[in-house]
Amino acid sequence: MASPSVTLINVLKLESGRPDDLIELLKHNIENVVSHLQGWKGTRLVASADGNSVIIHSEWESLEAVEAMRGDPRMQAYFPRISAWARIESFAGAEVFAQTPQRRHHATGEAA
């Protein structure tokens, strides 16, 4: 049985600047660095409606992959740039519960 993936949550609280600028910085890093790292499975960015916070929700194959990402020299060079914009809180863990509505295919009535 395969081990469950690891979810990494980073909560960024803006201290200066505009959230759009921070989001562009994050997107650039995801597209050019993170998405090429071993063990990365996907990332979502969520911006708060008030513009004061951004959440980075990433999936990784293992905790070792998360630690390798954090130690990668390209990421080490990138972290101070984020810290200049926002205060960061981070944790990694396993998903313990999820619920979504069941979707039905209208043509056959079968669950999608």
Side-chain angles (χ1 to χ4, degrees):
M1 184 168 166
S3 61
S5 49
V6 172
T7 301
L8 176 63
I9 303 292
N10 294 297
V11 180
L12 286 65
K13 299 285 189 176
L14 263 71
E15 295 185 348
S16 63
R18 298 188 338 252
D20 292 344
D21 294 336
L22 176 60
I23 290 167
E24 284 306 312
L25 176 66
L26 296 170
K27 285 171 46 178
H28 182 267
N29 187 64
I30 293 163
E31 292 169 344
N32 294 289
V33 177
V34 175
S35 64
H36 301 285
L37 295 175
Q38 184 73 28
W40 175 80
K41 296 174 83 174
T43 298
R44 292 185 173 118
L45 299 177
V46 179
S48 66
D50 64 10
N52 292 325
S53 303
V54 176
I55 294 174
I56 307 169
H57 176 277
S58 296
E59 295 293 324
W60 295 85
E61 289 179 0
S62 66
L63 191 54
E64 291 79 16
V66 171
E67 293 305 320
M69 174 272 297
R70 288 177 170 160
D72 186 281
R74 295 167 294 177
M75 293 301 295
Q76 291 290 318
Y78 167 75
F79 291 139
R81 294 181 66 193
I82 294 177
S83 295
W85 291 71
R87 187 177 71 252
I88 305 169
E89 294 180 27
S90 182
F91 71 90
E95 186 174 283
V96 295
F97 179 79
Q99 181 174 340
T100 58
Q102 247 188 6
R103 298 190 181 189
R104 296 198 170 271
H105 185 275
H106 295 290
T108 64
E110 296 176 27

